[in-house]
Amino acid sequence: MTSQVSSPAEQADEAVAGEQRKAAGVKDVRRLDRVIIRFAGDSGDGMQLTGDRFTSETASFGNDLSTLPNFPAEIRAPAGTLPGVSSFQLHFADHDILTPGDAPNVLVAMNPAALKANIGDLPRGAEVIVNTDEFTKRAMQKVGYDTSPLEDGSLDGYQVHPVPLTTLTVEALKEFDLTRKEAERSKNMFALGLLSWMYHRPTEGTERFLRSKFAKKPGIAAANIAAFRAGWNFGETTEDFAVSYEVAPAATAFPPGIYRNISGNLALSYGLIAASRQADLPLYLGSYPITPASDILHELSKHKNFGVRTFQAEDEIAGIGAALGAAFGGSLAVTTTSGPGVALKSETIGLAVSLELPLLIVDIQRGGPSTGLPTKTEQADLLQAMYGRNGEAPVPVVAPRTPADCFDAALEAARIALTYRTPVFLLSDGYLANGSEPWRIPDLEELPDLRVQFAQGPNHTLDDGSEVFWPYKRDPQTLARPWAIPGTPGLEHRIGGIEKEDGTGNISYAPANHDFMVRTRQAKIDGIEVPDLDVDDPHEARTLVLGWGSTYGPITAAVRRLRRAGESIAQAHLRHLNPFPKNLGAVLERYDKVVIPEMNLGQLATLIRAKYLVDAHSYNQVNGMPFKAEQLAAALKEAIDG
């Protein structure tokens, strides 16, 4: 753990004060500037709930934070096995932070599998809290422990706290009318109470949450609250925990405003709702459940009061087909999926390109190919989003960079779709979707005006003087065609996937017309107005690190490390991947080296090399996990020196 620096005199005073507190039976309280905690256990141990509650209290306390939930890929992995380990990592601090942290300072391991799966990530000296009740001979043999790691000296490099969590929880709940198995389920709340004591987290919010969650089962609510309080009291009274820690609120990390903790999928959902309100259009979601995008469907289904309609289709193709139909009918239409679903939706995306209707395709990327790694993150759908359709079918691509930024990215994707009458890809990923951070709730006047004007009547005069409606007569600035609501008198027009005639929209097989329409659709995408790329380069560096999407946090943390060490490096991060910002070529020309870290095998680097003829250097990782700042800093240092 990194503590704030004290002078020798202050350290001496603290030592004396510590001895005095110890003599008086008062425990030491140490001030830290940041902490990284990982909760780990079986899928049924409630680690995600435990981490989420600790995160919520940390957010309400005012710390900056970043989280990394890590789910097992198997739906029902055997209990006590390595594939069944679920973990939740939280990094919180009294200053601005960007990542969930490279290595935990504290590991809470609920069983031998959790310990074995995670101990390799811990630095020497880290604290390890283990549930000793689960370290039976059979449980240890199941994960390959021949001897108990609690007794064979293999953990001597760590501060180990053996705690019989299960026994203590059952004892604390003996007055409740619960079976032993029912009582054991509350051991995660005991652990949460203990950690809340260790780090001086508020408790009122968790108790309110438990009363609300189990409102229909007040006995279960009371038992969980009792276990939570028992964990707190255990920390206060046991001699094994002689020290607790304080991490002050991050008072200077945030601009003034009202904040809440938010995950990427929740922020994206709110962004879609805000976009529909700002456009004054009903929001329609046509979707098929798929990890890690399903939470968007779950969330939007709760908001019928905002004019949201959600349709859970029988498959991916039906989901996007219904969404495209809703777009034809005048809704802000969305379909959500992950990489495997995008493959199934590709024909309908091409149809949307041909029809030139606004449609948001939200791709929460995960590891592939095929079913791949459903619960792990990756950035490997970029080329699929760019080119994964037959024919010349250009589609704009937008990518958020943090969980909170998913809100703004949704608004931006909607702006492009509505203004230019085109499907738009929004590329998030599992790391952003499930991770969380503080989000400043924007004022309504900060949101963009997304209102559109539907076609109201004829827009073209024929040679004989008669007025008609041409569905493919374009706005001279945006090249967008008019959006006509079905049933509007006089605006009847033909739609379909076969090539349209310019202006009239009639079916056309003429070679010259097809050439013109292909080039026009491409020109429309190329002409989309996007902001210039901002470059962070305070020292006129020779090396630029260029990123996109969720690599923003690790890249920025790595760049900060290098600059603190005296290195000169520039950073830029792309939100718009098609079209690229107009100044990107000029930016790239300013640097001797361009390094592009990606969680794929170099997809953005391929696009950059092809378009700008720049010898971009790839740094790639495809292990299902986000980059660590330390490894990126080492790679970038090598690039600077090379």
Side-chain angles (χ1 to χ4, degrees):
M1 284 175 258
T2 304
S3 59
Q4 295 182 334
V5 178
S6 304
S7 69
E10 289 173 329
Q11 291 173 355
D13 290 342
E14 290 174 4
V16 171
E19 290 299 322
Q20 291 173 341
R21 285 193 296 269
K22 187 175 181 180
V26 178
K27 294 191 175 185
D28 244 346
V29 179
R30 294 180 189 169
R31 186 77 172 268
L32 307 175
D33 63 2
R34 66 183 182 93
V35 174
I36 304 167
I37 297 174
R38 184 182 296 176
F39 299 93
D42 261 334
S43 294
D45 284 338
M47 293 297 93
Q48 302 303 323
L49 174 62
T50 305
D52 184 68
R53 288 313 313 160
F54 195 94
T55 299
S56 295
E57 298 297 355
T58 296
S60 68
F61 188 71
N63 296 119
D64 195 10
L65 61 88
S66 179
T67 69
L68 177 63
N70 189 6
F71 305 93
E74 296 187 33
I75 295 174
R76 282 286 180 267
T81 63
L82 294 174
V85 174
S86 175
S87 69
F88 188 104
Q89 184 162 307
L90 165 67
H91 182 191
F92 62 102
D94 65 3
H95 57 276
D96 175 34
I97 58 172
L98 298 152
T99 75
D102 288 357
N105 308 122
V106 181
L107 171 66
V108 180
M110 302 298 280
N111 61 19
L115 179 67
K116 186 160 191 176
N118 292 280
I119 194 67
D121 294 337
L122 269 64
R124 290 294 178 177
E127 293 194 70
V128 183
I129 300 172
V130 293
N131 179 14
T132 55
D133 287 327
E134 296 298 320
F135 279 72
T136 63
K137 184 176 181 180
R138 184 170 180 271
M140 289 187 289
Q141 288 178 340
K142 192 181 292 187
V143 295
Y145 280 129
D146 295 326
T147 59
S148 172
L150 306 182
E151 300 171 356
D152 63 8
S154 60
L155 301 179
D156 286 350
Y158 308 98
Q159 301 179 52
V160 180
H161 302 280
V163 181
L165 286 172
T166 307
T167 300
L168 291 171
T169 302
V170 171
E171 179 65 21
L173 302 184
K174 62 183 181 182
E175 64 185 69
F176 293 88
D177 186 22
L178 300 172
T179 66
R180 180 179 176 86
K181 187 174 182 179
E182 290 171 334
E184 288 177 1
R185 289 178 184 154
S186 297
K187 63 180 180 289
N188 63 323
M189 288 297 106
F190 189 101
L192 178 60
L194 173 58
L195 269 293
S196 298
W197 171 83
M198 282 182 67
Y199 292 98
H200 295 247
R201 300 296 92 184
T203 60
E204 296 82 3
T206 293
E207 294 193 8
R208 280 196 306 272
F209 167 81
L210 291 170
R211 291 190 186 96
S212 173
K213 180 177 176 62
F214 298 108
K216 296 181 180 179
K217 298 179 179 179
I220 298 297
N224 276 281
I225 291 171
F228 177 66
R229 290 176 178 174
W232 176 283
N233 294 333
F234 178 77
E236 182 71 28
T237 57
T238 183
E239 295 182 2
D240 192 37
F241 292 90
V243 179
S244 64
Y245 305 94
E246 286 185 349
V247 181
T252 62
F254 308 115
I258 300 174
Y259 287 79
R260 60 156 294 168
N261 184 54
I262 199 165
S263 69
N265 273 352
L266 184 57
L268 202 154
S269 300
Y270 287 174
L272 293 173
I273 296 171
S276 76
R277 302 298 284 184
Q278 292 302 106
D280 196 23
L281 296 174
L283 179 64
Y284 184 93
L285 174 67
S287 182
Y288 179 75
I290 183 172
T291 302
S294 300
D295 284 341
I296 302 171
L297 171 61
H298 300 158
E299 182 61 33
L300 290 181
S301 68
K302 303 174 184 176
H303 297 288
K304 296 180 179 66
N305 56 315
F306 287 119
V308 179
R309 292 187 178 91
T310 53
F311 169 55
Q312 180 175 321
E314 67 270 24
D315 56 38
E316 296 281 5
I317 299 170
I320 191 173
L324 185 57
F328 178 59
S331 292
L332 176 59
V334 185
T335 189
T336 53
T337 189
S338 189
V342 173
L344 293 168
K345 295 177 188 289
S346 61
E347 183 180 8
T348 307
I349 297 171
L351 177 59
V353 171
S354 176
L355 298 181
E356 299 188 48
L357 286 171
L359 173 67
L360 301 185
I361 305 110
V362 178
D363 177 5
I364 313 298
Q365 300 166 94
R366 74 191 206 190
S370 189
T371 309
L373 306 172
T375 62
K376 309 301 179 183
T377 195
E378 204 163 273
Q379 286 184 299
D381 293 350
L382 176 56
L383 294 183
Q384 181 178 219
M386 287 286 292
Y387 303 122
R389 294 162 294 284
N390 64 298
E392 296 288 340
V395 174
V397 180
V398 175
R401 62 187 190 179
T402 69
D405 188 49
C406 290
F407 178 87
D408 295 317
L411 285 165
E412 175 65 357
R415 177 191 73 84
I416 294 172
L418 294 171
T419 303
Y420 296 90
R421 310 286 196 268
T422 177
V424 177
F425 262 100
L426 180 55
L427 289 184
S428 179
D429 62 43
Y431 171 38
L432 295 184
N434 297 317
S436 64
E437 66 176 352
W439 171 58
R440 187 181 70 83
I441 301 172
D443 295 327
L444 288 178
E445 55 267 23
E446 298 175 40
L447 301 180
D449 184 351
L450 300 178
R451 286 174 293 183
V452 296
Q453 184 66 49
F454 291 113
Q456 300 298 320
N459 61 358
H460 184 76
T461 303
L462 298 176
D463 292 340
D464 63 4
S466 59
E467 294 185 334
V468 296
F469 174 67
W470 275 16
Y472 281 82
K473 185 169 184 175
R474 300 179 184 279
D475 181 289
Q477 298 298 318
T478 64
L479 298 182
R481 76 173 187 87
W483 194 1
I485 300 299
T488 306
L491 303 188
E492 298 85 359
H493 59 284
R494 184 179 288 115
I495 66 168
I498 296 178
E499 184 64 280
K500 313 293 184 301
E501 183 180 62
D502 177 41
T504 69
N506 295 330
I507 292 174
S508 173
Y509 298 102
N513 178 78
H514 177 61
D515 184 275
F516 177 81
M517 293 295 280
V518 167
R519 294 179 187 276
T520 300
R521 287 189 290 261
Q522 184 65 58
K524 180 175 71 169
I525 303 306
D526 292 341
I528 291 173
E529 294 267 346
V530 303
D532 279 350
L533 180 65
D534 289 328
V535 183
D536 176 18
D537 185 6
H539 305 117
E540 297 186 0
R542 296 174 55 204
T543 300
L544 171 72
V545 54
L546 180 68
W548 71 277
S550 67
T551 57
Y552 173 78
I555 288 174
T556 306
V559 167
R560 287 182 181 179
R561 291 189 185 198
L562 290 171
R563 289 177 181 170
R564 284 196 298 266
E567 300 292 342
S568 179
I569 187 168
Q571 178 188 1
H573 208 78
L574 289 166
R575 162 167 289 187
H576 297 90
L577 297 153
N578 192 31
F580 286 130
K582 289 183 173 58
N583 70 330
L584 177 56
V587 167
L588 296 172
E589 288 178 359
R590 300 207 304 257
Y591 296 94
D592 297 338
K593 295 179 183 176
V594 177
V595 183
I596 303 180
E598 298 181 79
M599 293 188 294
N600 56 46
L601 294 183
Q603 297 189 13
L604 175 61
T606 297
L607 296 175
I608 293 294
R609 291 188 191 111
K611 184 173 179 64
Y612 299 102
L613 304 181
V614 170
D615 185 21
H617 301 272
S618 285
Y619 183 73
N620 307 117
Q621 172 178 297
V622 281
N623 62 6
M625 297 294 288
F627 283 111
K628 293 182 178 179
E630 183 178 1
Q631 73 179 99
L632 269 183
L636 295 177
K637 177 69 166 65
E638 186 176 330
I640 293 171
D641 295 340

